[in-house]
Amino acid sequence: VAEVHDPTLLVINPGSTSTKVAVFHGEQIEASDTLRHDATAIAAFPRIFDQFDMRRDAVRKFLSDNSFPIERLSAVIGRGGVLPPLEGGVYIVDDVLVEALYEYGWNHASSLGGLIAGDIAQAAGIPAYIADPVTTDELDDIARITGLPEVERRSVFHALNQKAVARRAACALGREYHECNLIVVHLGGGISVGGHRVGRVVEVSNALDGEGPYAPERSGSLPNTGVVRLCYSGAYTERDIRKKITGQGGLVAYLGTNSLLEVEKRIAAGDEHARLCYEGMAYQVAKEIGRVACAMSGEVDAIVFTGGAANSTVLVGLITDRVKFIARVLVYPGEEEMHALAQAAIRVLAGIERAKRISPPRTGRKSHTE
């Protein structure tokens, strides 16, 4: 791809019932919207991939409504979606990647990002990309071992936002991302804690599989025999247990809500049970940060907080009190996924970073990149 400066980019980020879309000129947003999809219409589709036409047409309508013909675009970039394990970076949407999205997509809405990006880009004759998918895998081999050969740790985490804020933190430290050792803590409905060593996430809690601290909606790591007893109690199906781990665990299980604001209101009103559960979550996050710091041999330049729950000064304060002895703390609340995707495409189009391709599936642990 010839170098392009100040490109015009279409960014697509599908969620469960909406699609975030924006047109960027360079790093400035020219138009953006959250395209809401009717819940009844969504429920009528048996699979996520069956929503493709509806969502693509909604994105095209957004462009038309904002008078952006696709001929004005330099590139399209979509949310990465679920893929085989890949190292972080920007990937070209080609036939192999599209096939992998269909094969590994887990019925997850983010997997439509690359598919829609590829379709629109093909019509415009421009490149399409994804960046830092949730299955980004840069773990050290030693981090994969669990204690049972039949079970291996996986890397599934908030890679896009973690990598973006890690670059931002490195800039604040006056260095490049690949020159820093950082612990990045994504605080959201799920919580992931990643050890970024000179540009690679060599250790991370897999919040999707139930690792790490409990979170507003997730159980986190649990005593194994306790989970076995639940599974064989006869009271729950496999689906029930999975929901307890992801979606109905954590604060939802203890307090019936995933809202930090609601929990903090209860605490202010004197609810000691809410206080204990809230401080327990902060305690577990701090322990996870300490675990990752040990995995990095204590060589940590900064601890970085991000995600929607990082807007809570109470939660961040409770965690910081326990971990500030490890390294300085930086806080970047919220999720900058749209900007992160735009910045990824800009790095490629400006010749700062080389886009990769995934290779056809092979046997073995990891997919190779070219």
Side-chain angles (χ1 to χ4, degrees), residues 237-270:
T237 65
E238 178 182 347
R239 181 179 178 85
D240 293 335
I241 295 294
R242 288 182 177 275
K243 283 184 177 180
K244 280 183 170 292
I245 292 171
T246 303
Q248 296 177 358
L251 295 184
V252 170
Y254 282 113
L255 302 174
T257 181
N258 63 0
S259 168
L260 300 192
L261 289 175
E262 171 63 24
V263 176
E264 290 176 7
K265 285 180 182 177
R266 294 186 195 179
I267 294 170

PDB file of all heavy atoms in Angstrom, residues 237-270:
ATOM      1  N   THR A 237     -27.487 -26.696  34.546  1.00  0.00           N
ATOM      2  CA  THR A 237     -27.008 -27.199  33.262  1.00  0.00           C
ATOM      3  C   THR A 237     -25.647 -26.578  32.963  1.00  0.00           C
ATOM      4  O   THR A 237     -25.201 -25.645  33.657  1.00  0.00           O
ATOM      5  CB  THR A 237     -27.978 -26.831  32.133  1.00  0.00           C
ATOM      6  OG1 THR A 237     -27.983 -25.396  31.988  1.00  0.00           O
ATOM      7  CG2 THR A 237     -29.383 -27.318  32.428  1.00  0.00           C
ATOM      8  N   GLU A 238     -24.979 -27.093  31.927  1.00  0.00           N
ATOM      9  CA  GLU A 238     -23.703 -26.485  31.519  1.00  0.00           C
ATOM     10  C   GLU A 238     -23.918 -25.013  31.165  1.00  0.00           C
ATOM     11  O   GLU A 238     -23.098 -24.158  31.506  1.00  0.00           O
ATOM     12  CB  GLU A 238     -23.123 -27.228  30.310  1.00  0.00           C
ATOM     13  CG  GLU A 238     -21.817 -26.612  29.814  1.00  0.00           C
ATOM     14  CD  GLU A 238     -21.245 -27.311  28.593  1.00  0.00           C
ATOM     15  OE1 GLU A 238     -21.717 -28.417  28.265  1.00  0.00           O
ATOM     16  OE2 GLU A 238     -20.330 -26.742  27.973  1.00  0.00           O
ATOM     17  N   ARG A 239     -25.006 -24.707  30.493  1.00  0.00           N
ATOM     18  CA  ARG A 239     -25.312 -23.320  30.130  1.00  0.00           C
ATOM     19  C   ARG A 239     -25.469 -22.450  31.386  1.00  0.00           C
ATOM     20  O   ARG A 239     -24.995 -21.323  31.429  1.00  0.00           O
ATOM     21  CB  ARG A 239     -26.590 -23.273  29.289  1.00  0.00           C
ATOM     22  CG  ARG A 239     -26.996 -21.887  28.821  1.00  0.00           C
ATOM     23  CD  ARG A 239     -28.273 -21.955  27.980  1.00  0.00           C
ATOM     24  NE  ARG A 239     -28.718 -20.638  27.563  1.00  0.00           N
ATOM     25  CZ  ARG A 239     -28.278 -20.006  26.490  1.00  0.00           C
ATOM     26  NH1 ARG A 239     -27.366 -20.571  25.722  1.00  0.00           N
ATOM     27  NH2 ARG A 239     -28.746 -18.811  26.177  1.00  0.00           N
ATOM     28  N   ASP A 240     -26.117 -22.993  32.416  1.00  0.00           N
ATOM     29  CA  ASP A 240     -26.288 -22.251  33.663  1.00  0.00           C
ATOM     30  C   ASP A 240     -24.931 -21.910  34.287  1.00  0.00           C
ATOM     31  O   ASP A 240     -24.711 -20.786  34.749  1.00  0.00           O
ATOM     32  CB  ASP A 240     -27.101 -23.066  34.675  1.00  0.00           C
ATOM     33  CG  ASP A 240     -28.549 -23.266  34.258  1.00  0.00           C
ATOM     34  OD1 ASP A 240     -29.067 -22.433  33.486  1.00  0.00           O
ATOM     35  OD2 ASP A 240     -29.158 -24.261  34.699  1.00  0.00           O
ATOM     36  N   ILE A 241     -24.044 -22.880  34.314  1.00  0.00           N
ATOM     37  CA  ILE A 241     -22.723 -22.663  34.918  1.00  0.00           C
ATOM     38  C   ILE A 241     -21.935 -21.625  34.127  1.00  0.00           C
ATOM     39  O   ILE A 241     -21.282 -20.746  34.700  1.00  0.00           O
ATOM     40  CB  ILE A 241     -21.935 -23.987  34.995  1.00  0.00           C
ATOM     41  CG1 ILE A 241     -22.643 -24.961  35.943  1.00  0.00           C
ATOM     42  CG2 ILE A 241     -20.506 -23.737  35.449  1.00  0.00           C
ATOM     43  CD1 ILE A 241     -22.661 -24.535  37.390  1.00  0.00           C
ATOM     44  N   ARG A 242     -22.015 -21.731  32.798  1.00  0.00           N
ATOM     45  CA  ARG A 242     -21.311 -20.742  31.976  1.00  0.00           C
ATOM     46  C   ARG A 242     -21.832 -19.333  32.243  1.00  0.00           C
ATOM     47  O   ARG A 242     -21.064 -18.364  32.279  1.00  0.00           O
ATOM     48  CB  ARG A 242     -21.446 -21.094  30.495  1.00  0.00           C
ATOM     49  CG  ARG A 242     -20.628 -22.310  30.071  1.00  0.00           C
ATOM     50  CD  ARG A 242     -20.753 -22.581  28.577  1.00  0.00           C
ATOM     51  NE  ARG A 242     -19.931 -23.698  28.160  1.00  0.00           N
ATOM     52  CZ  ARG A 242     -18.638 -23.616  27.843  1.00  0.00           C
ATOM     53  NH1 ARG A 242     -18.022 -22.442  27.903  1.00  0.00           N
ATOM     54  NH2 ARG A 242     -17.960 -24.679  27.463  1.00  0.00           N
ATOM     55  N   LYS A 243     -23.149 -19.205  32.431  1.00  0.00           N
ATOM     56  CA  LYS A 243     -23.722 -17.896  32.741  1.00  0.00           C
ATOM     57  C   LYS A 243     -23.252 -17.393  34.098  1.00  0.00           C
ATOM     58  O   LYS A 243     -23.036 -16.190  34.290  1.00  0.00           O
ATOM     59  CB  LYS A 243     -25.248 -17.972  32.703  1.00  0.00           C
ATOM     60  CG  LYS A 243     -25.847 -17.999  31.311  1.00  0.00           C
ATOM     61  CD  LYS A 243     -27.367 -17.975  31.367  1.00  0.00           C
ATOM     62  CE  LYS A 243     -27.979 -17.917  29.980  1.00  0.00           C
ATOM     63  NZ  LYS A 243     -29.467 -17.900  30.042  1.00  0.00           N
ATOM     64  N   LYS A 244     -23.102 -18.304  35.056  1.00  0.00           N
ATOM     65  CA  LYS A 244     -22.609 -17.900  36.368  1.00  0.00           C
ATOM     66  C   LYS A 244     -21.184 -17.359  36.279  1.00  0.00           C
ATOM     67  O   LYS A 244     -20.811 -16.440  37.016  1.00  0.00           O
ATOM     68  CB  LYS A 244     -22.640 -19.091  37.341  1.00  0.00           C
ATOM     69  CG  LYS A 244     -24.013 -19.375  37.940  1.00  0.00           C
ATOM     70  CD  LYS A 244     -23.939 -20.506  38.936  1.00  0.00           C
ATOM     71  CE  LYS A 244     -25.248 -20.616  39.705  1.00  0.00           C
ATOM     72  NZ  LYS A 244     -25.462 -19.454  40.604  1.00  0.00           N
ATOM     73  N   ILE A 245     -20.405 -17.911  35.383  1.00  0.00           N
ATOM     74  CA  ILE A 245     -19.020 -17.471  35.220  1.00  0.00           C
ATOM     75  C   ILE A 245     -18.941 -16.165  34.452  1.00  0.00           C
ATOM     76  O   ILE A 245     -18.198 -15.247  34.824  1.00  0.00           O
ATOM     77  CB  ILE A 245     -18.194 -18.572  34.514  1.00  0.00           C
ATOM     78  CG1 ILE A 245     -18.057 -19.788  35.443  1.00  0.00           C
ATOM     79  CG2 ILE A 245     -16.819 -18.051  34.096  1.00  0.00           C
ATOM     80  CD1 ILE A 245     -17.458 -21.006  34.772  1.00  0.00           C
ATOM     81  N   THR A 246     -19.720 -16.065  33.367  1.00  0.00           N
ATOM     82  CA  THR A 246     -19.680 -14.874  32.516  1.00  0.00           C
ATOM     83  C   THR A 246     -21.094 -14.339  32.325  1.00  0.00           C
ATOM     84  O   THR A 246     -21.908 -14.960  31.647  1.00  0.00           O
ATOM     85  CB  THR A 246     -19.077 -15.209  31.131  1.00  0.00           C
ATOM     86  OG1 THR A 246     -17.778 -15.753  31.311  1.00  0.00           O
ATOM     87  CG2 THR A 246     -18.961 -13.949  30.273  1.00  0.00           C
ATOM     88  N   GLY A 247     -21.377 -13.214  32.959  1.00  0.00           N
ATOM     89  CA  GLY A 247     -22.678 -12.577  32.799  1.00  0.00           C
ATOM     90  C   GLY A 247     -23.463 -12.469  34.084  1.00  0.00           C
ATOM     91  O   GLY A 247     -24.102 -11.458  34.359  1.00  0.00           O
ATOM     92  N   GLN A 248     -23.384 -13.521  34.924  1.00  0.00           N
ATOM     93  CA  GLN A 248     -24.166 -13.519  36.165  1.00  0.00           C
ATOM     94  C   GLN A 248     -23.292 -13.727  37.393  1.00  0.00           C
ATOM     95  O   GLN A 248     -23.785 -14.073  38.467  1.00  0.00           O
ATOM     96  CB  GLN A 248     -25.248 -14.602  36.105  1.00  0.00           C
ATOM     97  CG  GLN A 248     -26.278 -14.362  35.017  1.00  0.00           C
ATOM     98  CD  GLN A 248     -27.304 -15.482  34.913  1.00  0.00           C
ATOM     99  OE1 GLN A 248     -27.246 -16.478  35.635  1.00  0.00           O
ATOM    100  NE2 GLN A 248     -28.249 -15.333  33.995  1.00  0.00           N
ATOM    101  N   GLY A 249     -21.993 -13.504  37.231  1.00  0.00           N
ATOM    102  CA  GLY A 249     -21.080 -13.638  38.360  1.00  0.00           C
ATOM    103  C   GLY A 249     -20.719 -12.287  38.942  1.00  0.00           C
ATOM    104  O   GLY A 249     -21.291 -11.260  38.603  1.00  0.00           O
ATOM    105  N   GLY A 250     -19.746 -12.279  39.849  1.00  0.00           N
ATOM    106  CA  GLY A 250     -19.227 -11.030  40.393  1.00  0.00           C
ATOM    107  C   GLY A 250     -20.263 -10.230  41.162  1.00  0.00           C
ATOM    108  O   GLY A 250     -21.043 -10.767  41.950  1.00  0.00           O
ATOM    109  N   LEU A 251     -20.284  -8.929  40.926  1.00  0.00           N
ATOM    110  CA  LEU A 251     -21.211  -8.051  41.637  1.00  0.00           C
ATOM    111  C   LEU A 251     -22.664  -8.413  41.355  1.00  0.00           C
ATOM    112  O   LEU A 251     -23.524  -8.265  42.227  1.00  0.00           O
ATOM    113  CB  LEU A 251     -20.949  -6.590  41.266  1.00  0.00           C
ATOM    114  CG  LEU A 251     -19.595  -5.994  41.677  1.00  0.00           C
ATOM    115  CD1 LEU A 251     -19.541  -4.517  41.314  1.00  0.00           C
ATOM    116  CD2 LEU A 251     -19.338  -6.186  43.174  1.00  0.00           C
ATOM    117  N   VAL A 252     -22.936  -8.873  40.119  1.00  0.00           N
ATOM    118  CA  VAL A 252     -24.306  -9.281  39.796  1.00  0.00           C
ATOM    119  C   VAL A 252     -24.749 -10.404  40.732  1.00  0.00           C
ATOM    120  O   VAL A 252     -25.875 -10.406  41.250  1.00  0.00           O
ATOM    121  CB  VAL A 252     -24.423  -9.719  38.328  1.00  0.00           C
ATOM    122  CG1 VAL A 252     -25.767 -10.381  38.057  1.00  0.00           C
ATOM    123  CG2 VAL A 252     -24.247  -8.521  37.403  1.00  0.00           C
ATOM    124  N   ALA A 253     -23.863 -11.377  40.978  1.00  0.00           N
ATOM    125  CA  ALA A 253     -24.205 -12.509  41.840  1.00  0.00           C
ATOM    126  C   ALA A 253     -24.377 -12.077  43.293  1.00  0.00           C
ATOM    127  O   ALA A 253     -25.292 -12.528  43.989  1.00  0.00           O
ATOM    128  CB  ALA A 253     -23.131 -13.584  41.737  1.00  0.00           C
ATOM    129  N   TYR A 254     -23.499 -11.206  43.754  1.00  0.00           N
ATOM    130  CA  TYR A 254     -23.533 -10.801  45.164  1.00  0.00           C
ATOM    131  C   TYR A 254     -24.583  -9.722  45.452  1.00  0.00           C
ATOM    132  O   TYR A 254     -25.230  -9.735  46.496  1.00  0.00           O
ATOM    133  CB  TYR A 254     -22.171 -10.260  45.576  1.00  0.00           C
ATOM    134  CG  TYR A 254     -21.131 -11.314  45.849  1.00  0.00           C
ATOM    135  CD1 TYR A 254     -20.024 -11.448  45.020  1.00  0.00           C
ATOM    136  CD2 TYR A 254     -21.245 -12.181  46.933  1.00  0.00           C
ATOM    137  CE1 TYR A 254     -19.053 -12.419  45.263  1.00  0.00           C
ATOM    138  CE2 TYR A 254     -20.285 -13.150  47.188  1.00  0.00           C
ATOM    139  CZ  TYR A 254     -19.195 -13.265  46.354  1.00  0.00           C
ATOM    140  OH  TYR A 254     -18.237 -14.227  46.598  1.00  0.00           O
ATOM    141  N   LEU A 255     -24.726  -8.778  44.516  1.00  0.00           N
ATOM    142  CA  LEU A 255     -25.527  -7.590  44.803  1.00  0.00           C
ATOM    143  C   LEU A 255     -26.684  -7.367  43.835  1.00  0.00           C
ATOM    144  O   LEU A 255     -27.463  -6.423  44.006  1.00  0.00           O
ATOM    145  CB  LEU A 255     -24.620  -6.351  44.809  1.00  0.00           C
ATOM    146  CG  LEU A 255     -23.451  -6.391  45.807  1.00  0.00           C
ATOM    147  CD1 LEU A 255     -22.549  -5.175  45.617  1.00  0.00           C
ATOM    148  CD2 LEU A 255     -23.965  -6.460  47.238  1.00  0.00           C
ATOM    149  N   GLY A 256     -26.772  -8.194  42.785  1.00  0.00           N
ATOM    150  CA  GLY A 256     -27.889  -8.065  41.861  1.00  0.00           C
ATOM    151  C   GLY A 256     -27.779  -6.911  40.890  1.00  0.00           C
ATOM    152  O   GLY A 256     -28.752  -6.566  40.221  1.00  0.00           O
ATOM    153  N   THR A 257     -26.601  -6.308  40.761  1.00  0.00           N
ATOM    154  CA  THR A 257     -26.414  -5.201  39.826  1.00  0.00           C
ATOM    155  C   THR A 257     -24.971  -5.193  39.325  1.00  0.00           C
ATOM    156  O   THR A 257     -24.058  -5.628  40.025  1.00  0.00           O
ATOM    157  CB  THR A 257     -26.716  -3.840  40.494  1.00  0.00           C
ATOM    158  OG1 THR A 257     -26.536  -2.785  39.529  1.00  0.00           O
ATOM    159  CG2 THR A 257     -25.794  -3.578  41.685  1.00  0.00           C
ATOM    160  N   ASN A 258     -24.804  -4.698  38.084  1.00  0.00           N
ATOM    161  CA  ASN A 258     -23.450  -4.517  37.544  1.00  0.00           C
ATOM    162  C   ASN A 258     -23.053  -3.046  37.526  1.00  0.00           C
ATOM    163  O   ASN A 258     -22.010  -2.679  36.993  1.00  0.00           O
ATOM    164  CB  ASN A 258     -23.343  -5.104  36.131  1.00  0.00           C
ATOM    165  CG  ASN A 258     -24.263  -4.402  35.142  1.00  0.00           C
ATOM    166  OD1 ASN A 258     -24.992  -3.464  35.489  1.00  0.00           O
ATOM    167  ND2 ASN A 258     -24.253  -4.856  33.898  1.00  0.00           N
ATOM    168  N   SER A 259     -23.885  -2.191  38.117  1.00  0.00           N
ATOM    169  CA  SER A 259     -23.652  -0.745  38.103  1.00  0.00           C
ATOM    170  C   SER A 259     -22.792  -0.315  39.289  1.00  0.00           C
ATOM    171  O   SER A 259     -23.210  -0.453  40.452  1.00  0.00           O
ATOM    172  CB  SER A 259     -24.986   0.003  38.146  1.00  0.00           C
ATOM    173  OG  SER A 259     -24.781   1.386  38.401  1.00  0.00           O
ATOM    174  N   LEU A 260     -21.615   0.208  39.000  1.00  0.00           N
ATOM    175  CA  LEU A 260     -20.759   0.696  40.077  1.00  0.00           C
ATOM    176  C   LEU A 260     -21.399   1.883  40.784  1.00  0.00           C
ATOM    177  O   LEU A 260     -21.256   2.044  42.005  1.00  0.00           O
ATOM    178  CB  LEU A 260     -19.387   1.094  39.528  1.00  0.00           C
ATOM    179  CG  LEU A 260     -18.567  -0.004  38.837  1.00  0.00           C
ATOM    180  CD1 LEU A 260     -17.135   0.473  38.632  1.00  0.00           C
ATOM    181  CD2 LEU A 260     -18.584  -1.299  39.631  1.00  0.00           C
ATOM    182  N   LEU A 261     -22.104   2.716  40.018  1.00  0.00           N
ATOM    183  CA  LEU A 261     -22.768   3.868  40.630  1.00  0.00           C
ATOM    184  C   LEU A 261     -23.797   3.412  41.656  1.00  0.00           C
ATOM    185  O   LEU A 261     -23.896   3.976  42.754  1.00  0.00           O
ATOM    186  CB  LEU A 261     -23.433   4.737  39.558  1.00  0.00           C
ATOM    187  CG  LEU A 261     -22.503   5.534  38.644  1.00  0.00           C
ATOM    188  CD1 LEU A 261     -23.316   6.254  37.562  1.00  0.00           C
ATOM    189  CD2 LEU A 261     -21.699   6.548  39.449  1.00  0.00           C
ATOM    190  N   GLU A 262     -24.558   2.388  41.302  1.00  0.00           N
ATOM    191  CA  GLU A 262     -25.564   1.851  42.227  1.00  0.00           C
ATOM    192  C   GLU A 262     -24.898   1.291  43.483  1.00  0.00           C
ATOM    193  O   GLU A 262     -25.355   1.527  44.610  1.00  0.00           O
ATOM    194  CB  GLU A 262     -26.379   0.768  41.521  1.00  0.00           C
ATOM    195  CG  GLU A 262     -27.308  -0.029  42.436  1.00  0.00           C
ATOM    196  CD  GLU A 262     -28.398   0.806  43.084  1.00  0.00           C
ATOM    197  OE1 GLU A 262     -28.753   1.872  42.517  1.00  0.00           O
ATOM    198  OE2 GLU A 262     -28.884   0.396  44.158  1.00  0.00           O
ATOM    199  N   VAL A 263     -23.812   0.546  43.297  1.00  0.00           N
ATOM    200  CA  VAL A 263     -23.124  -0.041  44.448  1.00  0.00           C
ATOM    201  C   VAL A 263     -22.552   1.057  45.342  1.00  0.00           C
ATOM    202  O   VAL A 263     -22.660   0.986  46.579  1.00  0.00           O
ATOM    203  CB  VAL A 263     -22.012  -0.998  43.989  1.00  0.00           C
ATOM    204  CG1 VAL A 263     -21.228  -1.530  45.191  1.00  0.00           C
ATOM    205  CG2 VAL A 263     -22.595  -2.164  43.197  1.00  0.00           C
ATOM    206  N   GLU A 264     -21.964   2.075  44.731  1.00  0.00           N
ATOM    207  CA  GLU A 264     -21.395   3.163  45.528  1.00  0.00           C
ATOM    208  C   GLU A 264     -22.486   3.929  46.281  1.00  0.00           C
ATOM    209  O   GLU A 264     -22.260   4.404  47.407  1.00  0.00           O
ATOM    210  CB  GLU A 264     -20.570   4.084  44.632  1.00  0.00           C
ATOM    211  CG  GLU A 264     -19.278   3.413  44.149  1.00  0.00           C
ATOM    212  CD  GLU A 264     -18.487   4.268  43.167  1.00  0.00           C
ATOM    213  OE1 GLU A 264     -18.854   5.442  42.949  1.00  0.00           O
ATOM    214  OE2 GLU A 264     -17.493   3.750  42.607  1.00  0.00           O
ATOM    215  N   LYS A 265     -23.671   4.053  45.696  1.00  0.00           N
ATOM    216  CA  LYS A 265     -24.799   4.687  46.404  1.00  0.00           C
ATOM    217  C   LYS A 265     -25.198   3.860  47.625  1.00  0.00           C
ATOM    218  O   LYS A 265     -25.478   4.395  48.700  1.00  0.00           O
ATOM    219  CB  LYS A 265     -25.998   4.836  45.462  1.00  0.00           C
ATOM    220  CG  LYS A 265     -25.866   5.944  44.438  1.00  0.00           C
ATOM    221  CD  LYS A 265     -27.115   6.004  43.547  1.00  0.00           C
ATOM    222  CE  LYS A 265     -26.980   7.078  42.483  1.00  0.00           C
ATOM    223  NZ  LYS A 265     -28.160   7.108  41.568  1.00  0.00           N
ATOM    224  N   ARG A 266     -25.230   2.527  47.456  1.00  0.00           N
ATOM    225  CA  ARG A 266     -25.581   1.652  48.578  1.00  0.00           C
ATOM    226  C   ARG A 266     -24.552   1.789  49.703  1.00  0.00           C
ATOM    227  O   ARG A 266     -24.908   1.816  50.890  1.00  0.00           O
ATOM    228  CB  ARG A 266     -25.665   0.199  48.115  1.00  0.00           C
ATOM    229  CG  ARG A 266     -26.790  -0.100  47.144  1.00  0.00           C
ATOM    230  CD  ARG A 266     -26.854  -1.594  46.881  1.00  0.00           C
ATOM    231  NE  ARG A 266     -27.664  -1.910  45.723  1.00  0.00           N
ATOM    232  CZ  ARG A 266     -27.862  -3.153  45.268  1.00  0.00           C
ATOM    233  NH1 ARG A 266     -27.288  -4.176  45.881  1.00  0.00           N
ATOM    234  NH2 ARG A 266     -28.616  -3.369  44.192  1.00  0.00           N
ATOM    235  N   ILE A 267     -23.285   1.858  49.314  1.00  0.00           N
ATOM    236  CA  ILE A 267     -22.228   2.000  50.321  1.00  0.00           C
ATOM    237  C   ILE A 267     -22.385   3.318  51.074  1.00  0.00           C
ATOM    238  O   ILE A 267     -22.287   3.359  52.311  1.00  0.00           O
ATOM    239  CB  ILE A 267     -20.846   1.907  49.660  1.00  0.00           C
ATOM    240  CG1 ILE A 267     -20.624   0.494  49.099  1.00  0.00           C
ATOM    241  CG2 ILE A 267     -19.737   2.276  50.644  1.00  0.00           C
ATOM    242  CD1 ILE A 267     -19.391   0.356  48.231  1.00  0.00           C
ATOM    243  N   ALA A 268     -22.652   4.379  50.317  1.00  0.00           N
ATOM    244  CA  ALA A 268     -22.838   5.697  50.946  1.00  0.00           C
ATOM    245  C   ALA A 268     -24.014   5.707  51.895  1.00  0.00           C
ATOM    246  O   ALA A 268     -24.041   6.458  52.888  1.00  0.00           O
ATOM    247  CB  ALA A 268     -23.020   6.762  49.866  1.00  0.00           C
ATOM    248  N   ALA A 269     -25.002   4.831  51.620  1.00  0.00           N
ATOM    249  CA  ALA A 269     -26.190   4.747  52.479  1.00  0.00           C
ATOM    250  C   ALA A 269     -25.982   3.805  53.662  1.00  0.00           C
ATOM    251  O   ALA A 269     -26.907   3.584  54.448  1.00  0.00           O
ATOM    252  CB  ALA A 269     -27.390   4.288  51.650  1.00  0.00           C
ATOM    253  N   GLY A 270     -24.775   3.240  53.763  1.00  0.00           N
ATOM    254  CA  GLY A 270     -24.461   2.413  54.923  1.00  0.00           C
ATOM    255  C   GLY A 270     -24.573   0.920  54.715  1.00  0.00           C
ATOM    256  O   GLY A 270     -24.563   0.155  55.687  1.00  0.00           O
TER     257      GLY A 270
END
